[in-house]
Amino acid sequence: MPSPLPRSIRRRRLPVLAAAALVVGLAVPGAVAAPAPDAGAESATAVSAYDSSYYDGAAGKSGAALKSALHDIISDQTKISYSAVWNALKVTDQDPANSANVILLYSGKSRSKSLNGGDVGDWNREHVWAKSHGDFGTSTGPGTDLHHLRPTDVQVNSIRGNKDFDWGGSPVSGAPGNYTDSNSFEPRDAVKGDVARMILYMAVRYEGTDGWPDLEPNNYVNNGSAPYHGRLSVLKQWNEQDPPDAFERNRNEVIYASYQHNRNPFIDHPEWVESIW
């Protein structure tokens, strides 16, 4: 297998790819987000509206106070069952170019919605915050929260396992641009920021106050069953280098409007990551 590109080169590629994604402007047919040509302007308007309503309680805050305020805001949500996640992902992750398919998180491939399951060639429900990190499993709550559940190829999901996120490793078979080693997984450039914002959403949403573990990011790998996920310093880099694109923003809108009625604040305000951490 070819050796992965040096980390510095892969880091420099991220802003270019992110900018290209924003120019293209993906939009899921029939969903809530604005049409692609106006995605940037519509997003700015939407976020401004949410600032004066949904995020009103976070106004003027930073650090721990901002984290606490956002926890209070996004904890007001509708929960769905694990079985209901299948159909929800067919909507939240619908391929903008083919309404019969979903986009797989790590590989970026488009696959038929009907191929959900556990066999080779199927896609399944990936817990981006590994469900063993805090041992919450698939119970309704963190185990079914759509803000970190994504469709992934069964075999690629198995390779990722419950590894923390970090740079480097060997290329992942079936998912070009992803790398893995014994204790970490690096997703492709186009979704590095998505992964970071999903992990950090979980850290704000689940603070140990509603019967679930207090989930927190840290700067380690090999977190095992502890309620931590790393590597925070790398996730912060990815959040900056791969800003939210139209697909990610649309997904946030669909979850908010049709399923959980809460938002991932770091998609609306990526700068809040640095303010809190």
Side-chain angles (χ1 to χ4, degrees), residues 35-36 51 70 74 82 101 110-112 114 151 155 184 187 191 201 214 219-220 233 243 251 259 262:
D51 285 350
L70 291 176
I74 67 177
Y82 195 51
N101 288 10
S110 179
R111 186 163 296 173
S112 173
S114 65
Q155 290 175 293
S184 70
V191 297
Y201 160 86
D214 180 4
N219 216 31
Y220 301 96
S233 60
R251 192 174 193 279
Y259 294 98
N262 73 338

PDB file of all heavy atoms in Angstrom, residues 35-36 51 70 74 82 101 110-112 114 151 155 184 187 191 201 214 219-220 233 243 251 259 262:
ATOM      1  N   PRO A  35     -31.311  26.335  -1.254  1.00  0.00           N
ATOM      2  CA  PRO A  35     -30.698  25.838  -2.480  1.00  0.00           C
ATOM      3  C   PRO A  35     -29.217  26.175  -2.503  1.00  0.00           C
ATOM      4  O   PRO A  35     -28.777  27.196  -1.970  1.00  0.00           O
ATOM      5  CB  PRO A  35     -31.453  26.587  -3.582  1.00  0.00           C
ATOM      6  CG  PRO A  35     -32.750  26.976  -2.957  1.00  0.00           C
ATOM      7  CD  PRO A  35     -32.447  27.217  -1.500  1.00  0.00           C
ATOM      8  N   ALA A  36     -28.434  25.343  -3.180  1.00  0.00           N
ATOM      9  CA  ALA A  36     -26.982  25.475  -3.158  1.00  0.00           C
ATOM     10  C   ALA A  36     -26.463  26.842  -3.567  1.00  0.00           C
ATOM     11  O   ALA A  36     -25.582  27.376  -2.919  1.00  0.00           O
ATOM     12  CB  ALA A  36     -26.360  24.381  -4.032  1.00  0.00           C
ATOM     13  N   ASP A  51     -29.421  33.145  16.628  1.00  0.00           N
ATOM     14  CA  ASP A  51     -28.712  33.848  17.690  1.00  0.00           C
ATOM     15  C   ASP A  51     -29.671  34.626  18.593  1.00  0.00           C
ATOM     16  O   ASP A  51     -29.460  34.706  19.802  1.00  0.00           O
ATOM     17  CB  ASP A  51     -27.687  34.811  17.094  1.00  0.00           C
ATOM     18  CG  ASP A  51     -26.464  34.096  16.550  1.00  0.00           C
ATOM     19  OD1 ASP A  51     -26.330  32.888  16.803  1.00  0.00           O
ATOM     20  OD2 ASP A  51     -25.657  34.741  15.873  1.00  0.00           O
ATOM     21  N   LEU A  70     -24.854  26.460  26.500  1.00  0.00           N
ATOM     22  CA  LEU A  70     -25.171  25.630  25.340  1.00  0.00           C
ATOM     23  C   LEU A  70     -25.712  24.275  25.766  1.00  0.00           C
ATOM     24  O   LEU A  70     -26.620  23.723  25.128  1.00  0.00           O
ATOM     25  CB  LEU A  70     -23.929  25.457  24.463  1.00  0.00           C
ATOM     26  CG  LEU A  70     -23.436  26.708  23.735  1.00  0.00           C
ATOM     27  CD1 LEU A  70     -22.140  26.423  22.982  1.00  0.00           C
ATOM     28  CD2 LEU A  70     -24.504  27.240  22.782  1.00  0.00           C
ATOM     29  N   ILE A  74     -29.223  22.859  24.216  1.00  0.00           N
ATOM     30  CA  ILE A  74     -29.336  21.697  23.334  1.00  0.00           C
ATOM     31  C   ILE A  74     -29.850  20.453  24.045  1.00  0.00           C
ATOM     32  O   ILE A  74     -30.207  19.467  23.386  1.00  0.00           O
ATOM     33  CB  ILE A  74     -27.997  21.399  22.620  1.00  0.00           C
ATOM     34  CG1 ILE A  74     -26.922  20.932  23.603  1.00  0.00           C
ATOM     35  CG2 ILE A  74     -27.533  22.623  21.850  1.00  0.00           C
ATOM     36  CD1 ILE A  74     -25.604  20.553  22.923  1.00  0.00           C
ATOM     37  N   TYR A  82     -33.218   3.452  18.772  1.00  0.00           N
ATOM     38  CA  TYR A  82     -32.114   3.013  17.907  1.00  0.00           C
ATOM     39  C   TYR A  82     -32.640   2.451  16.588  1.00  0.00           C
ATOM     40  O   TYR A  82     -32.031   2.642  15.541  1.00  0.00           O
ATOM     41  CB  TYR A  82     -31.257   1.982  18.634  1.00  0.00           C
ATOM     42  CG  TYR A  82     -29.917   1.741  17.981  1.00  0.00           C
ATOM     43  CD1 TYR A  82     -29.069   2.795  17.661  1.00  0.00           C
ATOM     44  CD2 TYR A  82     -29.480   0.443  17.710  1.00  0.00           C
ATOM     45  CE1 TYR A  82     -27.832   2.576  17.070  1.00  0.00           C
ATOM     46  CE2 TYR A  82     -28.240   0.211  17.122  1.00  0.00           C
ATOM     47  CZ  TYR A  82     -27.424   1.287  16.803  1.00  0.00           C
ATOM     48  OH  TYR A  82     -26.199   1.066  16.217  1.00  0.00           O
ATOM     49  N   ASN A 101     -30.054   7.177  -2.427  1.00  0.00           N
ATOM     50  CA  ASN A 101     -28.815   6.794  -1.771  1.00  0.00           C
ATOM     51  C   ASN A 101     -28.501   7.674  -0.568  1.00  0.00           C
ATOM     52  O   ASN A 101     -29.067   8.755  -0.410  1.00  0.00           O
ATOM     53  CB  ASN A 101     -27.636   6.894  -2.746  1.00  0.00           C
ATOM     54  CG  ASN A 101     -27.638   5.801  -3.795  1.00  0.00           C
ATOM     55  OD1 ASN A 101     -28.609   5.049  -3.929  1.00  0.00           O
ATOM     56  ND2 ASN A 101     -26.561   5.714  -4.551  1.00  0.00           N
ATOM     57  N   SER A 110     -21.486   6.930  -2.351  1.00  0.00           N
ATOM     58  CA  SER A 110     -22.948   6.956  -2.381  1.00  0.00           C
ATOM     59  C   SER A 110     -23.438   5.515  -2.460  1.00  0.00           C
ATOM     60  O   SER A 110     -23.017   4.759  -3.334  1.00  0.00           O
ATOM     61  CB  SER A 110     -23.432   7.748  -3.589  1.00  0.00           C
ATOM     62  OG  SER A 110     -24.841   7.764  -3.655  1.00  0.00           O
ATOM     63  N   ARG A 111     -24.323   5.149  -1.518  1.00  0.00           N
ATOM     64  CA  ARG A 111     -24.791   3.754  -1.472  1.00  0.00           C
ATOM     65  C   ARG A 111     -26.300   3.720  -1.280  1.00  0.00           C
ATOM     66  O   ARG A 111     -26.870   4.586  -0.607  1.00  0.00           O
ATOM     67  CB  ARG A 111     -24.090   2.994  -0.331  1.00  0.00           C
ATOM     68  CG  ARG A 111     -24.395   1.502  -0.299  1.00  0.00           C
ATOM     69  CD  ARG A 111     -23.386   0.758   0.553  1.00  0.00           C
ATOM     70  NE  ARG A 111     -22.038   0.849  -0.013  1.00  0.00           N
ATOM     71  CZ  ARG A 111     -20.942   0.414   0.591  1.00  0.00           C
ATOM     72  NH1 ARG A 111     -21.026  -0.152   1.786  1.00  0.00           N
ATOM     73  NH2 ARG A 111     -19.762   0.533   0.008  1.00  0.00           N
ATOM     74  N   SER A 112     -26.928   2.722  -1.843  1.00  0.00           N
ATOM     75  CA  SER A 112     -28.382   2.605  -1.789  1.00  0.00           C
ATOM     76  C   SER A 112     -28.888   2.606  -0.355  1.00  0.00           C
ATOM     77  O   SER A 112     -28.333   1.941   0.521  1.00  0.00           O
ATOM     78  CB  SER A 112     -28.827   1.317  -2.483  1.00  0.00           C
ATOM     79  OG  SER A 112     -30.213   1.103  -2.295  1.00  0.00           O
ATOM     80  N   SER A 114     -31.363   1.137   0.665  1.00  0.00           N
ATOM     81  CA  SER A 114     -31.866  -0.202   0.990  1.00  0.00           C
ATOM     82  C   SER A 114     -30.781  -1.139   1.490  1.00  0.00           C
ATOM     83  O   SER A 114     -31.083  -2.196   2.042  1.00  0.00           O
ATOM     84  CB  SER A 114     -32.549  -0.819  -0.236  1.00  0.00           C
ATOM     85  OG  SER A 114     -31.607  -1.045  -1.275  1.00  0.00           O
ATOM     86  N   PRO A 151     -24.102   7.134   8.556  1.00  0.00           N
ATOM     87  CA  PRO A 151     -23.972   5.895   7.786  1.00  0.00           C
ATOM     88  C   PRO A 151     -22.523   5.666   7.371  1.00  0.00           C
ATOM     89  O   PRO A 151     -21.855   6.591   6.896  1.00  0.00           O
ATOM     90  CB  PRO A 151     -24.869   6.128   6.559  1.00  0.00           C
ATOM     91  CG  PRO A 151     -25.139   7.579   6.495  1.00  0.00           C
ATOM     92  CD  PRO A 151     -24.826   8.182   7.821  1.00  0.00           C
ATOM     93  N   GLN A 155     -17.493  -2.620   6.786  1.00  0.00           N
ATOM     94  CA  GLN A 155     -16.095  -3.002   7.006  1.00  0.00           C
ATOM     95  C   GLN A 155     -15.248  -1.817   7.483  1.00  0.00           C
ATOM     96  O   GLN A 155     -14.385  -1.978   8.344  1.00  0.00           O
ATOM     97  CB  GLN A 155     -15.518  -3.599   5.723  1.00  0.00           C
ATOM     98  CG  GLN A 155     -16.116  -4.972   5.386  1.00  0.00           C
ATOM     99  CD  GLN A 155     -15.620  -5.493   4.055  1.00  0.00           C
ATOM    100  OE1 GLN A 155     -15.927  -4.942   3.004  1.00  0.00           O
ATOM    101  NE2 GLN A 155     -14.847  -6.564   4.105  1.00  0.00           N
ATOM    102  N   SER A 184      -5.700   4.898  16.858  1.00  0.00           N
ATOM    103  CA  SER A 184      -6.377   6.108  16.378  1.00  0.00           C
ATOM    104  C   SER A 184      -6.841   5.954  14.939  1.00  0.00           C
ATOM    105  O   SER A 184      -6.424   5.039  14.219  1.00  0.00           O
ATOM    106  CB  SER A 184      -5.459   7.327  16.508  1.00  0.00           C
ATOM    107  OG  SER A 184      -4.396   7.253  15.577  1.00  0.00           O
ATOM    108  N   PRO A 187      -9.970  10.531   9.688  1.00  0.00           N
ATOM    109  CA  PRO A 187     -10.920  10.533   8.579  1.00  0.00           C
ATOM    110  C   PRO A 187     -10.406  11.360   7.401  1.00  0.00           C
ATOM    111  O   PRO A 187      -9.465  12.147   7.539  1.00  0.00           O
ATOM    112  CB  PRO A 187     -12.168  11.173   9.190  1.00  0.00           C
ATOM    113  CG  PRO A 187     -11.626  12.080  10.247  1.00  0.00           C
ATOM    114  CD  PRO A 187     -10.400  11.397  10.795  1.00  0.00           C
ATOM    115  N   VAL A 191     -14.246  15.528   5.764  1.00  0.00           N
ATOM    116  CA  VAL A 191     -15.126  15.382   6.930  1.00  0.00           C
ATOM    117  C   VAL A 191     -14.377  15.500   8.251  1.00  0.00           C
ATOM    118  O   VAL A 191     -14.934  15.200   9.307  1.00  0.00           O
ATOM    119  CB  VAL A 191     -15.920  14.054   6.887  1.00  0.00           C
ATOM    120  CG1 VAL A 191     -16.850  14.020   5.693  1.00  0.00           C
ATOM    121  CG2 VAL A 191     -14.994  12.841   6.902  1.00  0.00           C
ATOM    122  N   TYR A 201     -19.894  18.380  20.134  1.00  0.00           N
ATOM    123  CA  TYR A 201     -21.331  18.446  20.467  1.00  0.00           C
ATOM    124  C   TYR A 201     -21.642  17.481  21.608  1.00  0.00           C
ATOM    125  O   TYR A 201     -22.332  17.846  22.579  1.00  0.00           O
ATOM    126  CB  TYR A 201     -22.180  18.083  19.242  1.00  0.00           C
ATOM    127  CG  TYR A 201     -23.590  17.668  19.595  1.00  0.00           C
ATOM    128  CD1 TYR A 201     -24.612  18.606  19.749  1.00  0.00           C
ATOM    129  CD2 TYR A 201     -23.905  16.318  19.822  1.00  0.00           C
ATOM    130  CE1 TYR A 201     -25.906  18.215  20.109  1.00  0.00           C
ATOM    131  CE2 TYR A 201     -25.189  15.931  20.178  1.00  0.00           C
ATOM    132  CZ  TYR A 201     -26.180  16.878  20.325  1.00  0.00           C
ATOM    133  OH  TYR A 201     -27.453  16.488  20.694  1.00  0.00           O
ATOM    134  N   ASP A 214     -20.672  11.816  31.989  1.00  0.00           N
ATOM    135  CA  ASP A 214     -20.169  13.133  31.620  1.00  0.00           C
ATOM    136  C   ASP A 214     -19.110  12.918  30.543  1.00  0.00           C
ATOM    137  O   ASP A 214     -17.990  12.498  30.830  1.00  0.00           O
ATOM    138  CB  ASP A 214     -19.573  13.820  32.850  1.00  0.00           C
ATOM    139  CG  ASP A 214     -19.031  15.213  32.535  1.00  0.00           C
ATOM    140  OD1 ASP A 214     -19.183  15.670  31.391  1.00  0.00           O
ATOM    141  OD2 ASP A 214     -18.450  15.827  33.448  1.00  0.00           O
ATOM    142  N   ASN A 219      -6.780  14.995  25.526  1.00  0.00           N
ATOM    143  CA  ASN A 219      -5.692  15.029  24.538  1.00  0.00           C
ATOM    144  C   ASN A 219      -4.955  13.700  24.451  1.00  0.00           C
ATOM    145  O   ASN A 219      -3.753  13.667  24.197  1.00  0.00           O
ATOM    146  CB  ASN A 219      -4.711  16.159  24.868  1.00  0.00           C
ATOM    147  CG  ASN A 219      -4.175  16.813  23.599  1.00  0.00           C
ATOM    148  OD1 ASN A 219      -4.864  16.869  22.585  1.00  0.00           O
ATOM    149  ND2 ASN A 219      -2.946  17.296  23.649  1.00  0.00           N
ATOM    150  N   TYR A 220      -5.696  12.623  24.644  1.00  0.00           N
ATOM    151  CA  TYR A 220      -5.105  11.287  24.640  1.00  0.00           C
ATOM    152  C   TYR A 220      -5.810  10.391  23.635  1.00  0.00           C
ATOM    153  O   TYR A 220      -6.905  10.692  23.156  1.00  0.00           O
ATOM    154  CB  TYR A 220      -5.202  10.654  26.032  1.00  0.00           C
ATOM    155  CG  TYR A 220      -4.511  11.458  27.106  1.00  0.00           C
ATOM    156  CD1 TYR A 220      -5.237  12.347  27.902  1.00  0.00           C
ATOM    157  CD2 TYR A 220      -3.136  11.361  27.308  1.00  0.00           C
ATOM    158  CE1 TYR A 220      -4.613  13.105  28.880  1.00  0.00           C
ATOM    159  CE2 TYR A 220      -2.501  12.112  28.285  1.00  0.00           C
ATOM    160  CZ  TYR A 220      -3.243  12.982  29.066  1.00  0.00           C
ATOM    161  OH  TYR A 220      -2.622  13.736  30.028  1.00  0.00           O
ATOM    162  N   SER A 233      -6.558  18.398  20.825  1.00  0.00           N
ATOM    163  CA  SER A 233      -5.756  19.368  20.072  1.00  0.00           C
ATOM    164  C   SER A 233      -5.901  19.166  18.572  1.00  0.00           C
ATOM    165  O   SER A 233      -5.922  20.132  17.797  1.00  0.00           O
ATOM    166  CB  SER A 233      -4.280  19.274  20.478  1.00  0.00           C
ATOM    167  OG  SER A 233      -3.770  17.970  20.225  1.00  0.00           O
ATOM    168  N   PRO A 243     -14.154  23.858   7.662  1.00  0.00           N
ATOM    169  CA  PRO A 243     -15.371  24.509   8.173  1.00  0.00           C
ATOM    170  C   PRO A 243     -16.633  23.822   7.667  1.00  0.00           C
ATOM    171  O   PRO A 243     -16.589  23.042   6.708  1.00  0.00           O
ATOM    172  CB  PRO A 243     -15.258  25.935   7.629  1.00  0.00           C
ATOM    173  CG  PRO A 243     -14.384  25.819   6.428  1.00  0.00           C
ATOM    174  CD  PRO A 243     -13.406  24.712   6.720  1.00  0.00           C
ATOM    175  N   ARG A 251     -27.743  18.987   7.203  1.00  0.00           N
ATOM    176  CA  ARG A 251     -27.987  17.889   8.138  1.00  0.00           C
ATOM    177  C   ARG A 251     -28.419  18.436   9.505  1.00  0.00           C
ATOM    178  O   ARG A 251     -29.334  17.910  10.140  1.00  0.00           O
ATOM    179  CB  ARG A 251     -26.698  17.066   8.268  1.00  0.00           C
ATOM    180  CG  ARG A 251     -26.851  15.745   8.971  1.00  0.00           C
ATOM    181  CD  ARG A 251     -25.581  14.921   8.932  1.00  0.00           C
ATOM    182  NE  ARG A 251     -25.897  13.573   9.354  1.00  0.00           N
ATOM    183  CZ  ARG A 251     -26.014  13.190  10.616  1.00  0.00           C
ATOM    184  NH1 ARG A 251     -25.800  14.065  11.590  1.00  0.00           N
ATOM    185  NH2 ARG A 251     -26.344  11.946  10.914  1.00  0.00           N
ATOM    186  N   TYR A 259     -36.501  15.862  13.589  1.00  0.00           N
ATOM    187  CA  TYR A 259     -36.237  14.737  14.478  1.00  0.00           C
ATOM    188  C   TYR A 259     -36.035  15.156  15.940  1.00  0.00           C
ATOM    189  O   TYR A 259     -36.914  14.982  16.771  1.00  0.00           O
ATOM    190  CB  TYR A 259     -35.037  13.926  13.968  1.00  0.00           C
ATOM    191  CG  TYR A 259     -35.325  13.248  12.648  1.00  0.00           C
ATOM    192  CD1 TYR A 259     -34.902  13.818  11.457  1.00  0.00           C
ATOM    193  CD2 TYR A 259     -36.075  12.072  12.587  1.00  0.00           C
ATOM    194  CE1 TYR A 259     -35.192  13.218  10.231  1.00  0.00           C
ATOM    195  CE2 TYR A 259     -36.374  11.464  11.379  1.00  0.00           C
ATOM    196  CZ  TYR A 259     -35.938  12.047  10.201  1.00  0.00           C
ATOM    197  OH  TYR A 259     -36.244  11.458   9.003  1.00  0.00           O
ATOM    198  N   ASN A 262     -33.116  19.858  18.290  1.00  0.00           N
ATOM    199  CA  ASN A 262     -31.976  20.569  18.865  1.00  0.00           C
ATOM    200  C   ASN A 262     -30.902  20.680  17.796  1.00  0.00           C
ATOM    201  O   ASN A 262     -30.972  20.039  16.749  1.00  0.00           O
ATOM    202  CB  ASN A 262     -31.455  19.901  20.142  1.00  0.00           C
ATOM    203  CG  ASN A 262     -30.712  18.603  19.881  1.00  0.00           C
ATOM    204  OD1 ASN A 262     -30.892  17.946  18.850  1.00  0.00           O
ATOM    205  ND2 ASN A 262     -29.897  18.193  20.832  1.00  0.00           N
TER     206      ASN A 262
END
